[in-house]
Amino acid sequence: MPDPAAPQGAPSAPPTPPVPLTALLAREDLGLRLVAGTPESGGAEGVRIQWVHTSEMADPYPYLLGGELLLTAGVLLKDPEMYAARVVEAGGAAIGFGVAPVYDTVPDALVAACERRGLPLLEVPPQTPFTAIARAVWGLMAQARLREVRRVSEAQQGLANAAARPDPVPAVLQQLASRLGGWAVLLAPDGSALHVAGRAPAREAREALGRLARVVSPEPGDEEPADDTAAPPSRAAGTQAEPGTPAGTARRAPSSATDTVGETHLAAYALGGGEALVLGVAAEGREPGGHTVAGVAVVLLSLLTAPHQGADASGRTAALVRLLLGGTPADVVRDLGPGPWTVVHGTRPGQPDRIAASALGAALGSTLVDTDGETVRILLSGDRRIEPQPGWTLGVSAPASADGLDTADTAAARALRRAEATRVALARQRDAGLGELVAPDEAAVHARTLLAPVADSPALTETLRVWLSLHGSWDRTAVALGVHRNTVRQRVARCAGLLGVDLDDADVRMELWFALRYA
């Protein structure tokens, strides 16, 4: 079990689901008492704890990454107002104050300061050691992960059984809607609904889902939908769409996009198979593992709706046969299709077997998977953006034509080595930069989209800005920010993980620097 209180140089979100503060308060054995703030102050999902940290520093800000339950006995508490303000500024989730041995009760000034800022403040009784609280958080995380794994496993089985039914597409949608407790719709390129399942959300949510479909659709249509089930797609603000694309020209579309309307969480996924279909999902709650369940449905629906007997499938089968019968790669590569193609190399702790390799391929939307027992190699059609996958380290090539697959394979292998060396979840051969953006407003949109994963943390954003301006110097950045150099390393690693980038890549540094200037 990873220690949530350990320094987080990890490349992505916490390895286990965050714990709701309400769950920790419900533990009668701990005897915690809420004296300021509310567990619901974190929005619809309430305050959630990502890890536990103990500190007796007068200013804890330099040692926080965000999302912590900060435990302290107030040994150096001199200015409660400043202390609460700094915890909030660093993104801390809550404070746990031990009433022994320094204080007999939680200081009134600290209670008032936390109450004004909506920061939950917990009284920790003398009989409860801080280590017991940390163990409780880790235990709750383990339970949440187990529930998530079971939920995903059961959903995968249900979706697979639905795909084997005589009318598989509606059956898969119905199963998906049931598992997510919401609404699922299969949208045509013109935005009309081909199949729907579950209870439809409000019209505003359906319209927003239609806009998300326009974002992920490779070739968005301009026709009006056949009915009001899904509104005409249009670009949705705050999604992953790439700015700066001239009207009427092809653009590189993301494989998925998300949005929220009120309490309804929306997601749109582009299906493979060349039919430009989109899966839309609307759910009132955001349960752990929901994105993984939807990803399984995407793969199944892509296979079910693809023209299996079309020219592309026939050509690839012919290429395989010719290669087995002695043909050279140069002779048969044109039968694979013009591409573009992306090569992904992946590793994980332990040797990945073929089941694990196939699962990774399914998560990325491809059945073209191979493994030698140490590295998984996956071939994906289309110019899509690959996202990090839990538990895997990935190297991703730039999109290439069919006759450039050999070079792309080498590039993916090099990217994987960089990812392993820098301990990031995913490294790319090359990402598109800001060079094509000219208008400042377009650059600002691109910057907000690129920096969205760290936008809510001023500490991370400012650390990344200073670190880049000082050419990656840990010591000079620490001096400039007034923090320890290890804190700089942790924050920069956290930025790399949240942004999903390789900060050793000069192109990535340049793009982030320009984005920070326009953000």
Side-chain angles (χ1 to χ4, degrees):
M1 168 88 46
D3 183 350
Q8 297 296 313
S12 57
T16 49
V19 173
L21 182 57
T22 52
L24 194 62
L25 289 170
R27 289 284 299 264
E28 296 182 359
D29 58 313
L30 298 177
L32 303 177
R33 186 169 67 92
L34 187 69
V35 296
T38 64
E40 293 76 25
S41 60
E45 297 182 345
V47 176
R48 303 178 77 83
I49 300 169
Q50 295 182 352
W51 34 68
V52 178
H53 179 65
T54 301
S55 174
E56 296 301 340
M57 304 299 295
D59 180 7
Y61 175 89
Y63 305 94
L64 300 181
L65 296 174
E68 296 93 347
L69 169 60
L70 176 62
L71 301 177
T72 179
V75 175
L76 297 179
L77 181 65
K78 305 299 182 184
D79 186 345
E81 192 73 30
M82 181 276 291
Y83 192 88
R86 294 291 276 175
V87 173
V88 171
E89 186 178 356
I95 296 177
F97 196 92
V99 295
V102 182
Y103 290 87
D104 294 330
T105 61
V106 181
D108 292 339
L110 182 61
V111 174
C114 291
E115 189 67 41
R116 280 192 292 272
R117 291 168 175 80
L119 177 66
L121 175 61
L122 283 60
E123 179 187 83
V124 181
Q127 67 271 19
T128 301
F130 287 171
T131 53
I133 299 175
R135 286 178 180 271
V137 170
W138 302 337
L140 290 170
M141 285 181 173
Q143 294 173 15
R145 175 61 73 196
L146 180 59
R147 289 194 298 269
E148 179 180 339
V149 170
R150 286 177 176 173
R151 178 172 181 258
V152 171
S153 177
E154 292 172 357
Q156 288 177 331
Q157 185 62 50
L159 289 168
N161 292 339
R165 297 182 61 179
D167 197 5
V169 172
V172 169
L173 288 175
Q174 183 62 52
Q175 183 69 210
L176 178 63
S178 175
R179 294 289 179 178
L180 298 183
W183 187 60
V185 56
L186 182 64
L187 299 173
D190 64 356
S192 60
L194 300 177
H195 299 280
V196 296
R199 182 170 59 87
R203 182 181 181 85
E204 182 182 4
R206 297 201 306 270
E207 291 174 350
L209 191 57
R211 292 192 291 271
L212 288 184
R214 178 72 173 269
V215 171
V216 303
S217 177
E219 297 179 359
D222 295 326
E223 299 87 358
E224 295 291 327
D227 53 38
D228 66 352
T229 305
S234 61
R235 180 167 295 178
T239 62
Q240 305 174 42
E242 294 189 7
T245 304
T249 62
R251 61 181 174 84
R252 178 182 176 184
S255 59
S256 65
T258 60
D259 198 0
T260 302
V261 175
E263 299 297 324
T264 303
H265 301 284
L266 309 174
Y269 305 87
L271 301 188
E275 297 299 291
L277 301 179
V278 174
L279 169 65
V281 176
E284 292 301 318
R286 183 179 293 175
E287 293 292 332
H291 183 71
T292 303
V293 173
V296 175
V298 168
V299 174
L300 291 173
L301 291 171
S302 297
L303 295 173
L304 293 171
T305 59
H308 297 290
Q309 301 304 320
D312 288 345
S314 299
R316 294 171 193 172
T317 301
L320 177 60
V321 171
R322 290 171 59 192
L323 191 62
L324 292 174
L325 294 179
T328 64
D331 292 333
V332 303
V333 72
R334 59 178 176 269
D335 290 328
L336 289 175
W341 296 87
T342 301
V343 180
V344 178
H345 283 210
T347 60
R348 71 171 192 174
Q351 293 186 340
D353 55 22
R354 293 199 172 274
I355 295 178
S358 298
L360 177 61
L364 297 179
S366 175
T367 58
L368 303 177
V369 181
D370 180 42
T371 179
D372 59 6
E374 295 183 359
T375 302
V376 177
R377 299 195 300 174
I378 302 174
L379 186 62
L380 300 98
S381 62
D383 185 4
R384 67 180 72 180
R385 183 172 181 83
I386 310 303
E387 301 298 337
Q389 300 298 315
W392 289 89
T393 302
L394 304 180
V396 182
S397 77
S401 59
D403 55 3
L405 288 177
D406 185 47
T407 301
D409 183 55
T410 301
R414 291 175 178 171
L416 177 60
R417 289 196 294 270
R418 286 204 313 274
E420 292 175 328
T422 56
R423 296 184 180 180
V424 298
L426 184 148
R428 307 179 194 278
Q429 176 186 350
R430 181 180 183 275
D431 280 332
L434 290 170
E436 296 180 356
L437 300 177
V438 177
D441 57 338
E442 295 175 346
V445 172
H446 181 85
R448 287 195 298 270
T449 302
L450 180 64
L451 297 172
V454 298
D456 292 335
S457 176
L460 293 181
T461 304
E462 185 60 19
T463 300
L464 181 61
R465 186 195 309 275
V466 175
W467 183 74
L468 289 173
S469 71
L470 296 176
H471 309 290
S473 171
W474 308 109
D475 292 333
R476 293 169 61 194
T477 303
V479 172
L481 294 175
V483 299
H484 195 276
R485 67 194 307 272
N486 287 343
T487 301
V488 175
R489 288 183 178 275
Q490 293 168 10
R491 291 181 181 175
V492 171
R494 180 77 174 147
C495 288
L498 291 173
L499 295 170
V501 297
D502 177 9
L503 289 177
D504 288 333
D505 189 321
D507 288 338
V508 171
R509 291 195 187 195
M510 178 187 67
E511 182 176 10
L512 288 174
W513 175 245
F514 277 98
L516 287 165
R517 293 186 62 186
Y518 282 103

